[in-house]
Amino acid sequence: MALQHLTDEQVRTWTRAQKDEWWFKNVFRGDMAQLSLRSGLTGFFLGGILAATSLYIGAKTGISVGVGLTSVILAFAMFRLLNQMGWADDYTILENNCTQSIATAAGYVVTPLISSLVAYMLVVDRIIPWWQMMIWMVLSSITGVLVAFPMKRRFINEDQLPFPEGRACGVVLDSLYTGQGGEGLYKAALLAKVAGLAAFYQAIVSDGWMKLIQFKLLRMDQWAGMKEPWTFHERLDQYYYSWAVKADAWIPKIMGVDFRVLGLRLTLDVAMLGVGGLMGIAVATSCLLGAFVNFAVLAPIMINAGDIVQRVGPNGAVIPISRVEIVNQWSMWWGVAMMVAGSVTSLLAKPDIFTNAFKSLTNRNKNKDKGPDLLAHIEVPLWVSYIGVPVFGFLSAWTGHVFFGVPMMLALVSLPLILVLTVICTNSMALTSWTPTGALSKITQFTMGAIDRSNPASNLVPAGMTAEIASNAANLLSDIKPGYMLGGKPRHQAIGHVIGIFAGVLACVPLFFLLFVPKNAEGVRSTASIISDQFAMPAAVQWKGVAEIIANGLHSLPASALITMGVAAAAAVIIEVLRLVTRGKFPLSSVSIGLGVVLPPESTFAMWIGAMIFFVAAKVYKTPGTAGWRRWVDGCEPICAGLISGAALMGIGNAIVNVLI
């Protein structure tokens, strides 16, 4: 069934009251189940599970993987199968829409756990208590929800802005429930099969699962005399290195530096294959270019020049040169410079984001009706935001002061700036599905840092609030767009978004401690374990780098780092200008090149392989409707979601098993 919408002329000439009346009479489905008990519970549990996968992938790549469409397909398939077995009524399209609102909110609320909060802990060398994390994240996220609703009637009801990502979700929902040929069940089956294969592979490369199966279940340590469980090496080159050591064979080096020291490993990471498939060949190639330039060219030069050296740790132990040391001692600076310069340039290249944002707050429809509000009974009352934003904004600032040491005056001063940047971010989401939270949060970070350079919390925590509030406001409105298209109640989606916030926080804060700051043999948690070869935390590295530049100044960096920062920033501006001039046809992304600098090169290569697989498949299977096109082109997202979710959930399970045994 074709989704109904207003014509461009109607959008331009009708008053908001006319548009509301048309929507209420032609689109609204007030008698259809929406935020029911089962859709709320389904969204809560799916959101928690998918948020855990988002945390896992974000810690590896610094990229927030959207989980909305994955939750749509899973919920559709689950209740369609239950209905066919006679165990439950089929899910309505609006129940599924509420479920995706909850799951999406859960997935995005974890962002501070891979960025600002982690950077704060690394800078001050202190683990934040779990309950402080939860309270601050919930307060900031709910503030974002409350900020969004005064803008909803303007952006969606009156201006009918596109919100491309939200519209795509609405189209997918409509096609699942009204399309022919069982496309929904096909995609769900494809996702499940791939997830199962990915989970099996992840199990055989995981020490915890193999120890559980071989030693605890099969008792192979007793009857077979095994000392260590067998695992398949995820790093495929380990098989060569094991043989080369025994045979005294050739070990690959660059300028005398071992490939392994540089992090140049060949790893089959199926989750990264899925991430690469979602990001596309252009972004993946840019990441690979950044990794190659940094680890294969610049790092060996700097090691030989003595700018990257072995260090002595606090306990007197020698810390050898490794990929993590290369990033922390030297390459982080030019990678961060490139990401910040690129993101700010791309933001400034779109002045309409700023002008349209403020027009949306100041313009008035000259013909706006003053009569009764036809939608008052289904919209969120504006008084909720007018009271809630000051209250929750103050509480967010107060917790930043009490928990993290942000001066109260600075915390309060940051609130108006946060609200302004949120409007800009939301308008960007409405027009492009791009949320420039990274670039906007840096504005807050530098502004607060200029006022107080001595305290890293003064710039990290308010900037983290900017990112959290802005992303929640923008994502809520993007979630409401498919609900508006399908005739849902905005109140239900707002409530669902809040449910998702709690689902994500409750699932991922405990998981954060399990994965990234486990207790050592003495029962002590340390920030030293947060960044590792498995979890590079590239987003946190970027936040930390900016905070350290603010605190220490550029003069504290090696001369070679300053030179490469300048070159990287200039290159980023040139690349973004070329992208602008060519209208996006220039194949490189400066932000992605910078991301490749702080990611493990083995991960960037795996992502590039994944992107290349789907790029080639799209070239081979060009004809819509054929079996190959259906599986590899139309099924790209279910396959990638299956790779990510299967590997991530099994990887999380491995950490749990290791703790238990």
Side-chain angles (χ1 to χ4, degrees):
M1 180 180 69
L3 293 169
Q4 298 187 68
H5 58 86
L6 296 173
T7 65
D8 291 340
E9 182 179 357
Q10 289 170 330
V11 172
R12 287 195 307 270
T13 59
W14 282 12
T15 65
R16 189 164 73 194
Q18 288 176 303
K19 296 169 185 174
D20 286 349
E21 182 179 3
W22 171 86
W23 179 84
F24 188 75
K25 291 180 178 179
N26 295 280
V27 182
F28 179 56
R29 305 181 187 184
D31 57 345
M32 181 179 287
Q34 299 180 44
L35 184 58
S36 58
L37 178 62
R38 65 177 186 170
S39 67
L41 290 174
T42 302
F44 185 87
F45 288 110
L46 272 182
I49 293 170
L50 294 175
T53 67
S54 183
L55 175 66
Y56 184 88
I57 298 301
K60 279 178 168 284
T61 67
I63 300 170
S64 296
V65 179
V67 299
L69 288 178
T70 304
S71 69
V72 164
I73 295 171
L74 290 175
F76 169 83
M78 182 169 62
F79 278 93
R80 182 58 56 89
L81 291 173
L82 290 174
N83 177 253
Q84 291 177 354
M85 291 186 290
W87 292 356
D89 293 335
D90 200 5
Y91 226 31
T92 71
I93 191 171
L94 292 182
E95 282 182 305
N96 201 329
N97 183 56
C98 280
T99 294
Q100 74 86 18
S101 288
I102 297 170
T104 301
Y108 280 112
V109 79
V110 305
T111 302
L113 296 178
I114 60 171
S115 57
S116 57
L117 289 184
V118 174
Y120 172 81
M121 288 187 279
L122 292 172
V123 170
V124 302
D125 194 22
R126 179 175 74 89
I127 304 296
I128 302 171
W130 63 267
W131 58 274
Q132 291 183 2
M133 281 188 188
M134 285 186 171
I135 291 172
W136 184 81
M137 290 169 65
V138 167
L139 290 174
S140 299
S141 300
I142 291 178
T143 305
V145 173
L146 294 169
V147 167
F149 268 91
M151 296 185 282
K152 183 263 176 185
R153 297 290 292 267
R154 179 75 191 190
F155 285 171
I156 294 179
N157 295 38
E158 186 168 353
D159 292 344
Q160 301 278 314
L161 293 181
F163 286 95
E165 188 175 311
R167 180 168 181 80
C169 188
V171 171
V172 169
L173 275 165
D174 183 66
S175 66
L176 286 178
Y177 284 86
T178 63
Q180 302 297 321
E183 282 301 308
L185 288 176
Y186 173 79
K187 289 181 178 179
L190 189 60
L191 190 156
K193 291 174 183 177
V194 173
L197 291 173
F200 173 77
Y201 171 78
Q202 194 65 36
I204 64 173
V205 301
S206 300
D207 59 335
W209 287 114
M210 291 296 95
K211 191 181 297 181
L212 175 66
I213 294 171
Q214 296 171 33
F215 288 0
K216 299 298 181 180
L217 298 180
L218 300 180
R219 303 291 182 181
M220 295 177 70
D221 55 330
Q222 297 179 10
W223 58 268
M226 293 176 62
K227 301 297 183 183
E228 294 292 334
W230 172 89
T231 59
F232 181 78
H233 288 305
E234 189 175 36
R235 283 176 166 166
L236 302 179
D237 57 2
Q238 185 59 40
Y239 290 104
Y240 172 80
Y241 285 119
S242 298
W243 170 83
V245 169
K246 295 177 181 177
D248 195 24
W250 173 73
I251 300 294
K253 297 178 181 179
I254 299 176
M255 296 180 63
V257 183
D258 194 313
F259 268 33
R260 291 168 291 182
V261 171
L262 297 169
L264 300 176
R265 309 297 302 268
L266 180 61
T267 301
L268 180 57
D269 187 333
V270 293
M272 294 302 98
L273 296 178
V275 172
L278 291 178
M279 68 171 43
I281 191 64
V283 173
T285 300
S286 297
C287 287
L288 186 63
L289 176 62
F292 175 81
V293 170
N294 186 63
F295 293 100
V297 179
L298 295 179
I301 294 174
M302 293 304 130
I303 290 172
N304 282 277
D307 282 356
I308 302 173
V309 296
Q310 289 186 345
R311 294 189 301 113
V312 178
N315 58 358
V318 175
I319 302 174
I321 298 174
S322 64
R323 184 203 66 82
V324 174
E325 286 295 304
I326 290 170
V327 171
N328 288 339
Q329 289 187 36
W330 190 83
S331 60
M332 169 178 68
W333 306 112
W334 81 267
V336 168
M338 196 155 207
M339 285 189 278
V340 173
S343 60
V344 171
T345 302
S346 63
L347 180 64
L348 295 177
K350 299 175 181 177
D352 56 314
I353 290 177
F354 298 90
T355 56
N356 290 339
F358 290 103
K359 284 179 182 178
S360 69
L361 295 182
T362 57
N363 284 358
R364 300 285 181 184
N365 190 325
K366 296 179 181 179
N367 300 317
K368 190 178 293 182
D369 295 337
K370 300 296 183 180
D373 186 355
L374 185 63
L375 306 183
H377 65 296
I378 60 173
E379 293 278 8
V380 175
L382 291 181
W383 65 262
V384 173
S385 290
Y386 294 154
I387 295 174
V389 169
V391 170
F392 278 85
F394 175 81
L395 289 174
S396 298
W398 181 76
T399 54
H401 168 65
V402 174
F403 295 164
F404 311 121
V406 181
M408 191 63 188
M409 185 57 67
L410 273 183
L412 292 175
V413 167
S414 70
L415 290 178
L417 181 60
I418 286 171
L419 295 177
V420 170
L421 297 180
T422 300
V423 173
I424 299 170
C425 184
T426 304
N427 192 76
S428 176
M429 168 67 95
L431 297 175
T432 67
S433 279
W434 174 55
T435 51
T437 49
L440 292 175
S441 62
K442 296 300 172 285
I443 295 174
T444 309
Q445 200 172 353
F446 278 114
T447 303
M448 296 297 105
I451 299 173
D452 181 9
R453 292 181 57 184
S454 63
N455 181 6
S458 298
N459 66 78
L460 282 168
V461 175
M465 286 175 59
T466 299
E468 192 71 351
I469 292 172
S471 64
N472 271 279
N475 286 306
L476 174 58
L477 291 183
S478 186
D479 286 343
I480 287 175
K481 181 66 176 183
Y484 183 84
M485 295 165 58
L486 300 168
K489 295 178 181 178
R491 285 186 188 181
H492 285 198
Q493 287 188 270
I495 296 169
H497 210 81
V498 174
I499 293 172
I501 289 170
F502 281 96
V505 169
L506 290 173
C508 290
V509 170
L511 184 60
F512 175 88
F513 283 86
L514 177 66
L515 290 178
F516 312 127
V517 285
K519 292 181 179 179
N520 58 21
E522 290 75 36
V524 178
R525 302 183 191 274
S526 168
T527 58
S529 64
I530 292 178
I531 295 180
S532 63
D533 282 339
Q534 185 180 9
F535 300 109
M537 289 285 180
V541 168
Q542 180 185 359
W543 284 70
K544 173 177 176 283
V546 173
E548 290 181 348
I549 289 175
I550 292 171
N552 303 321
L554 293 175
H555 61 82
S556 63
L557 303 180
S560 59
L562 292 175
I563 293 171
T564 51
M565 284 179 69
V567 173
V573 173
I574 293 171
I575 289 171
E576 293 307 317
V577 169
L578 288 173
R579 285 168 60 86
L580 180 66
V581 171
T582 61
R583 297 183 179 182
K585 293 181 180 179
F586 188 72
L588 298 178
S589 162
S590 60
V591 176
S592 301
I593 292 173
L595 181 62
V597 174
V598 294
L599 278 173
E602 56 195 302
S603 295
T604 61
F605 185 67
M607 290 190 294
W608 184 81
I609 292 294
M612 181 58 70
I613 289 171
F614 289 98
F615 175 76
V616 172
K619 297 293 184 183
V620 173
Y621 302 109
K622 297 180 180 179
T623 307
T626 60
W629 180 89
R630 191 185 188 202
R631 178 180 298 112
W632 292 103
V633 181
D634 193 42
C636 172
E637 183 155 324
I639 290 175
C640 293
L643 289 170
I644 292 169
S645 57
L649 291 175
M650 192 59 69
I652 292 167
N654 184 67
I656 296 172
V657 169
N658 273 322
V659 169
L660 295 177
I661 65 174

